[in-house]
Amino acid sequence: LISWSSQVRLVMKAHSFIRENVPRVLSSVKDKSSTVPIPRLSQYLYFLFAPTLIYRDNYPRNPTIRWGYVATKFAQVLGSLFYAYYIFVRLCIPQFHNSSQETFNLRGLVLCIFNSILPGVLILFLVFFAFLHCWLNAFAEMLRFADRMFYK
């Protein structure tokens, strides 16, 4: 799942990079200008790691990195991982462990599924919080990326 989502993200970033740069290159070739506006490798690498899907040559940048903020966000990611582990151990694994020792019946399957809905929703919220809020904000801070409108 993680590699699939990373591939989708990289394809979206490549599409944005091509969509933003090809018209500029074609217009400079059509105008027969002496310089072709090709982005530098450092701009492309920054775009690959920045938490955005829209390519620009320059992004708004903060003057400094707040390392305490970065440490707090990474601590929140670790806390979310430990909480997800606790949810699995206490709420999910006992349900499926008990059902694996019994013979298959539809009632047991339905009860197992319904007892796993609440832990599944909690895990979904934890993934949202840990990755989309904490992880992206930590990397945005380390890259001094100033535009933090992830949710808009």
Side-chain angles (χ1 to χ4, degrees), residues 77-95:
V77 169
L78 286 174
S80 297
L81 289 174
F82 284 125
Y83 188 47
Y85 173 76
Y86 178 79
I87 289 171
F88 272 118
V89 168
R90 294 292 181 190
L91 300 176
C92 294
I93 293 174
Q95 289 295 322

Side-chain angles (χ1 to χ4, degrees), residues 18-152:
I18 291 168
R19 186 177 173 113
E20 292 293 323
N21 287 303
V22 167
R24 289 191 303 179
V25 171
L26 291 177
S27 67
S28 70
V29 169
K30 188 172 78 174
D31 296 340
K32 295 183 174 104
S33 66
S34 61
T35 60
V36 179
I38 298 174
R40 294 187 318 270
L41 181 63
S42 62
Q43 291 172 324
Y44 182 68
L45 288 175
Y46 183 84
F47 168 65
L48 283 181
F49 291 101
T52 183
L53 292 174
I54 300 170
Y55 177 79
R56 298 286 181 254
D57 287 334
N58 295 310
Y59 294 97
R61 306 280 299 267
N62 289 333
T64 60
I65 298 173
R66 298 174 295 172
W67 290 107
Y69 181 80
V70 172
T72 301
K73 291 301 173 192
F74 281 134
Q76 289 174 350
V77 169
L78 286 174
S80 297
L81 289 174
F82 284 125
Y83 188 47
Y85 173 76
Y86 178 79
I87 289 171
F88 272 118
V89 168
R90 294 292 181 190
L91 300 176
C92 294
I93 293 174
Q95 289 295 322
F96 290 101
H97 182 68
N98 293 337
S99 67
S100 69
Q101 295 172 350
E102 301 170 2
T103 60
F104 177 77
N105 62 10
L106 187 61
R107 181 181 178 273
L109 178 67
V110 170
L111 282 174
C112 208
I113 289 172
F114 279 113
N115 286 335
S116 298
I117 289 174
L118 182 61
V121 170
L122 287 173
I123 297 292
L124 181 69
F125 285 144
L126 281 172
V127 167
F128 174 79
F129 176 73
F131 179 71
L132 294 178
H133 181 71
C134 299
W135 191 263
L136 289 180
N137 269 308
F139 274 93
E141 185 66 33
M142 287 189 295
L143 292 172
R144 297 185 306 141
F145 189 79
D147 186 13
R148 307 279 174 91
M149 299 297 169
F150 301 130
Y151 309 116
K152 289 189 178 183

